[in-house]
Amino acid sequence: MQIDSANSFYHIPVMGREVVEGLAICAGGRYLDATVGGGGHSQLILSAAPNVELIAIDQDQHALQAAQQRLAIYSDRVEFYHLNFAEFQSEQSQFDGIVADLGVSSAQVDQADRGFSFRQTAPLDMRMDQGRSLTAAEIINTWDEAELARIFYTYGEERLSRKLARRIVERRPLQTTTDLAEVIFYAVPSSYRYGRIHPATRIFQALRIAVNGELDVLETFLNAAPTWLKPGGRLVIISFHSLEDRLVKHAFRNSSLLQVITRKPITPNQAEIQENTRSRSAKLRIAERVQIDHQ
């Protein structure tokens, strides 16, 4: 079971070189990987300098098992915790650097039974932490039309949110990812069906954000993380859609504890996008904890 988890969660870390450079990793430094996933970024951090120590957290138990295997050779320098990064408690000024790679991982998308993708038939689940009770099926089949339209518009930035909410309510109950994707596909104008992205993409994003409370937990994390950094410590965050990136940009800019290092986000180069197409929407921002002024 663990071997399967490791294989399914193996992934190429997005902008790995940029993350390592952004963290300015030092020998004997202490780091936090707030979304360890398959352990790709953690492996790069641990191997970047001697005697690096790391705390690795993830809300997905399968991801955590995979990371434990991938990082086994560093086991004496890594601590693992199964929790959401918004639930993490830390002493102040503990870390030399923190990284968070936001959003759903490629491994989660590729595991059909998790329900993150409409490319394969699966239950409408979308829980990153399978201990949570709320699923996408519950939202789709029990929430009222106005609330569905609200999350489609707010979390998916879907301009046809009201029309799609109305059609979904008419056609429910819907039990599988492909059932939902089909309803959406035929509800939109024909000119909308064959654009750059599938017409269900924004709805699936909105549902995933709602199921996992992603924007709320990100705000909680962004408020707390700067206090966990030592003076001069770096906070590196990779986001994958405009809602996340906007929160990160504003949190960095408005924090009295941070100095923004990246005025504009770093994006993957063309070679990385060709190797890993899912990296194409990634944006990386870096901020540094300011020195404490003793007066």
Side-chain angles (χ1 to χ4, degrees):
M1 176 63 180
Q2 288 188 330
I3 293 174
D4 290 341
S5 294
N7 289 339
S8 65
F9 266 91
Y10 188 86
H11 70 288
I12 303 169
V14 172
M15 289 190 278
R17 177 178 58 82
E18 292 85 348
V19 166
V20 170
E21 290 177 357
L23 287 169
I25 295 168
C26 58
R30 185 169 174 81
Y31 297 87
L32 170 66
D33 188 340
T35 52
V36 68
H41 287 117
S42 286
Q43 187 175 39
L44 293 173
I45 292 166
L46 288 160
S47 61
N51 302 316
V52 168
E53 295 182 352
L54 182 89
I55 288 181
I57 62 179
D58 205 287
Q59 63 183 327
D60 189 319
Q61 185 66 58
H62 299 297
L64 209 59
Q65 290 173 356
Q68 286 172 327
Q69 292 183 66
R70 183 169 186 166
L71 305 176
I73 61 171
Y74 305 104
S75 60
D76 59 331
R77 294 194 271 131
V78 187
E79 296 176 59
F80 295 94
Y81 294 94
H82 176 219
L83 44 75
N84 185 290
F85 57 34
E87 301 165 341
F88 182 67
Q89 301 290 320
S90 172
E91 299 173 9
Q92 294 204 357
S93 304
Q94 180 180 357
F95 296 107
D96 296 284
I98 299 170
V99 62
D101 181 356
L102 305 175
V104 66
S105 72
S106 295
Q108 289 165 326
V109 170
D110 291 339
Q111 285 186 304
D113 61 344
R114 301 293 295 274
F116 289 108
S117 173
F118 47 79
R119 305 292 180 190
Q120 306 168 85
T121 301
L124 282 165
D125 191 328
M126 300 194 193
R127 291 172 298 169
M128 291 184 182
D129 179 354
Q130 304 233 284
R132 293 172 67 102
S133 59
L134 181 64
T135 65
E138 181 177 341
I139 292 175
I140 284 295
N141 291 310
T142 67
W143 287 20
D144 67 33
E145 183 180 321
E147 187 63 7
L148 289 177
R150 185 191 69 80
I151 66 167
F152 295 164
Y153 184 79
T154 305
Y155 298 155
E157 299 179 295
E158 174 55 68
R159 63 184 182 86
L160 299 177
S161 57
R162 291 179 180 176
K163 180 176 183 177
L164 293 176
R166 185 165 57 251
R167 184 61 59 87
I168 286 167
V169 169
E170 289 170 356
R171 297 296 179 88
R172 64 191 190 188
L174 301 170
Q175 301 302 335
T176 69
T177 52
T178 46
D179 287 344
L180 176 58
E182 184 177 19
V183 168
I184 295 166
F185 185 82
Y186 288 108
V188 302
S190 57
S191 59
Y192 200 69
R193 292 174 190 165
Y194 302 102
R196 188 176 59 85
I197 62 171
H198 190 286
T201 301
R202 294 186 183 92
I203 300 303
F204 272 64
Q205 173 183 298
L207 287 169
R208 194 197 76 225
I209 290 172
V211 167
N212 297 288
E214 290 179 29
L215 300 183
D216 291 336
V217 298
L218 177 57
E219 283 196 86
T220 300
F221 173 75
L222 289 169
N223 286 330
T227 69
W228 304 338
L229 288 168
K230 299 176 183 177
R234 295 283 186 87
L235 178 56
V236 175
I237 300 185
I238 303 172
S239 61
F240 288 87
H241 56 74
S242 60
L243 300 175
E244 291 173 337
D245 182 58
R246 201 174 301 135
L247 284 176
V248 175
K249 179 176 69 173
H250 290 160
F252 280 10
R253 190 167 60 193
N254 297 333
S255 174
S256 61
L257 298 178
L258 296 176
Q259 177 183 351
V260 176
I261 302 298
T262 48
R263 295 297 170 185
K264 292 185 177 180
I266 299 169
T267 56
N269 60 36
Q270 207 55 43
E272 177 169 3
I273 293 171
Q274 288 178 348
E275 183 181 4
N276 178 14
T277 57
R278 287 174 177 164
S279 72
R280 66 186 179 274
S281 59
K283 293 182 178 180
L284 183 151
R285 293 185 184 270
I286 306 166
E288 182 173 297
R289 172 71 189 261
V290 297
Q291 297 292 326
I292 298 172
D293 186 12
H294 295 287
Q295 294 185 345

